[in-house]
């Protein structure tokens, strides 16, 4: 007597082999997005803590990000950053259109919108590289004192002045510290365009230039002792000529641009976070561009048309929307707050 074997197909969360009605690939993409979101949250939380801990010396975003391609010398704060943001957000729109075209099995439209998405990502990454170049190079220059604080030069109206506009040229050779010299036993980065003495002498010769400090400091001649960095209008306080000259007595370095050691715009913590977080996000965007380009090629080759499914476009679309959303928070933290 033969036995009859019956099999039953169990459904998990009414999704069969697709829990909650979502394919395995989409589910794993959501897991990745969740974990990556927590990573960015930690980075931005650390940035926020440092931002308010060193509020007095934190750079003013309008002074740092005021460049625009082919408009050198013009003060256009935040304009190019806004354009970058618009391009990235618009690339999310083209990605949505690509996914929608995939639902309707329109190969040519999917390819067209994927191409626009890749192009938008490339423009954004290139724009970030251009922003990095300007930030590293700097524009105005500043002086670092013995305590590690940054002092900047402004006119009577508080507008920053470039070192090249007033620094003197002194007849003295400057030697870059290198290990091969066998004297200082240490190396340093390339020499700045001006020495401390040249900046100080130029400052003394221009009575209409003042110093703007990045921190509160103690003045022995003042009974109150401490000068606040920010005034009632939340602008950094400009010192008198006498106070300015006193501050220059502690000058030890000329700072031009920003790196992981010094930052002419203010606290070096800002530069550290800027390079790390925007670089980390830029890596995500670049990775997304590479993946989107691969998917674009597969669309052109008809791979998904043969499968009768454009789900891969949806998966990379989820990642791309996440990258765009993260930039909204990065943009808010670095450029607006």
């Amino acid at each position: 007597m033969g036995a009859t074997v019956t099999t039953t197909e169990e459904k998990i969360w009414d999704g069969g082999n697709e829990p909650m009605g979502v394919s395995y690939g989409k589910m794993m993409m959501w897991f990745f997005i969740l974990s990556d979101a927590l990573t960015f949250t930690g980075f931005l939380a650390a940035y926020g803590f440092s931002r308010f801990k060193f509020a007095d010396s934190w750079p003013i975003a309008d002074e740092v990000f005021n460049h625009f391609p082919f408009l050198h010398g013009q003060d256009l704060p935040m304009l190019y950053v806004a354009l970058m943001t618009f391009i990235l957000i618009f690339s999310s729109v083209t990605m949505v259109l690509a996914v929608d075209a995939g639902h309707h099995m329109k190969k040519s439209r999917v390819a067209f919108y994927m191409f626009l998405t890749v192009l938008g990502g490339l423009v954004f990454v290139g724009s970030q590289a251009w922003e990095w170049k300007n930030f590293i190079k700097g524009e105005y220059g500043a002086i670092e004192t013995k305590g590690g604080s940054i002092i900047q030069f402004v006119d009577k109206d508080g507008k920053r002045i470039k070192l090249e506009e007033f620094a003197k040229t002194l007849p003295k050779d400057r030697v870059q510290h290198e290990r091969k010299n066998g004297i200082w036993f240490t190396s340093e980065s390339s020499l700045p365009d001006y020495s401390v003495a040249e900046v100080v002498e130029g400052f003394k010769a221009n009575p209409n230039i003042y110093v703007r400090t990045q921190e509160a400091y103690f003045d022995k001649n003042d009974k109150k002792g401490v000068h606040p960095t920010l005034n009632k209008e939340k602008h950094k306080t400009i010192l008198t000529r006498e106070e300015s000259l006193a501050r220059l007595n502690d000058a030890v370095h000329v700072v031009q641009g920003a790196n992981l050691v010094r930052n002419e715009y203010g606290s070096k913590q800002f530069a550290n976070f800027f390079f790390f977080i925007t670089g980390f996000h830029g890596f995500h965007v670049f990775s997304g561009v590479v993946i989107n380009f691969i998917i674009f090629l597969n669309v052109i080759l008809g791979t998904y048309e043969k499968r009768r499914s454009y789900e891969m476009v949806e998966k990379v679309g989820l990642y791309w929307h996440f990258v765009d959303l993260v930039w909204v928070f990065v943009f808010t933290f670095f450029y607006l707050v």
Side-chain angles (χ1 to χ4, degrees), residues 36-269:
D36 214 26
L38 294 175
T39 302
F40 274 104
T41 299
F43 292 159
L44 292 176
Y47 171 87
F49 175 79
S50 296
R51 167 69 175 82
F52 289 101
K53 181 178 180 181
F54 305 103
D56 290 350
S57 61
W58 213 250
I60 301 172
D62 286 350
E63 292 183 354
V64 181
F65 309 106
N66 61 345
H67 307 88
F68 201 93
F70 310 112
L71 296 177
H72 181 70
Q74 297 191 34
D75 186 21
L76 301 170
M78 311 303 294
L79 191 59
Y80 191 59
V81 179
L83 178 61
M84 289 169 49
T85 303
F86 172 78
I87 292 173
L88 190 63
I89 297 302
F90 185 76
S91 71
S92 251
V93 176
T94 57
M95 177 59 80
V96 168
L97 295 174
V99 173
D100 181 68
H103 289 162
H104 294 86
M105 301 300 294
K106 297 180 178 179
K107 173 184 172 182
S108 60
R109 294 179 68 86
V110 175
F112 174 70
Y113 289 125
M114 285 297 296
F115 173 77
L116 291 181
T117 302
V118 170
L119 182 61
L122 285 174
V123 172
F124 179 82
V125 172
S127 298
Q128 269 201 323
W130 188 81
E131 280 284 353
W132 272 42
K133 180 202 57 114
N134 286 291
F135 186 58
I136 294 171
K137 181 180 178 182
E139 182 176 4
Y140 303 101
I143 289 290
E144 181 180 324
T145 63
K146 294 178 181 178
S149 62
I150 297 295
I151 56 177
Q152 302 162 341
F153 300 94
V154 297
D155 59 19
K156 62 180 180 180
D157 297 322
K159 184 179 179 180
R160 287 197 64 181
I161 298 177
K162 299 179 181 179
L163 298 183
E164 63 187 42
E165 296 180 13
F166 67 90
K168 281 191 171 183
T169 302
L170 300 179
K172 182 179 180 181
D173 293 333
R174 292 180 292 152
V175 180
Q176 181 178 350
H177 292 199
E178 295 179 311
R179 294 184 184 276
K180 66 180 182 179
N181 294 337
I183 300 176
W184 298 279
F185 301 100
T186 184
S187 60
E188 64 177 357
S189 57
S190 58
L191 291 172
D193 295 334
Y194 308 98
S195 67
V196 172
E198 289 174 330
V199 173
V200 172
E201 291 301 318
F203 178 82
K204 292 178 179 179
N206 290 270
N208 295 323
I209 300 178
Y210 301 86
V211 158
R212 187 177 71 177
T213 61
Q214 293 293 303
E215 88 293 340
Y217 73 96
F218 186 80
D219 186 354
K220 297 180 181 179
N221 299 322
D222 188 351
K223 294 181 180 179
K224 294 182 180 179
V226 176
H227 287 253
T229 302
L230 302 179
N231 57 27
K232 294 180 180 179
E233 290 75 27
K234 302 301 181 181
H235 296 154
K236 296 182 184 297
T237 302
I238 300 173
L239 305 181
T240 64
R241 283 287 297 183
E242 292 74 16
E243 293 171 332
S244 299
L245 289 169
R247 290 294 286 159
L248 287 176
N249 289 332
D250 295 330
V252 291
H253 291 291
V254 174
V255 183
Q256 291 180 290
N259 50 53
L260 299 179
V261 179
R262 297 184 178 90
N263 176 14
E264 74 166 50
Y265 297 99
S267 173
K268 68 177 182 179
Q269 293 297 331

Side-chain angles (χ1 to χ4, degrees), residues 241-302:
R241 283 287 297 183
E242 292 74 16
E243 293 171 332
S244 299
L245 289 169
R247 290 294 286 159
L248 287 176
N249 289 332
D250 295 330
V252 291
H253 291 291
V254 174
V255 183
Q256 291 180 290
N259 50 53
L260 299 179
V261 179
R262 297 184 178 90
N263 176 14
E264 74 166 50
Y265 297 99
S267 173
K268 68 177 182 179
Q269 293 297 331
F270 176 85
N272 294 339
F273 278 110
F274 179 80
F275 289 130
F276 184 76
I277 295 180
T278 62
F280 191 58
H281 178 266
F283 173 76
H284 278 70
V285 176
F286 180 75
S287 300
V289 168
V290 173
I291 296 171
N292 284 338
F293 183 71
I294 294 174
I295 300 301
F296 167 73
L297 291 179
N298 285 332
V299 172
I300 295 295
L301 294 174

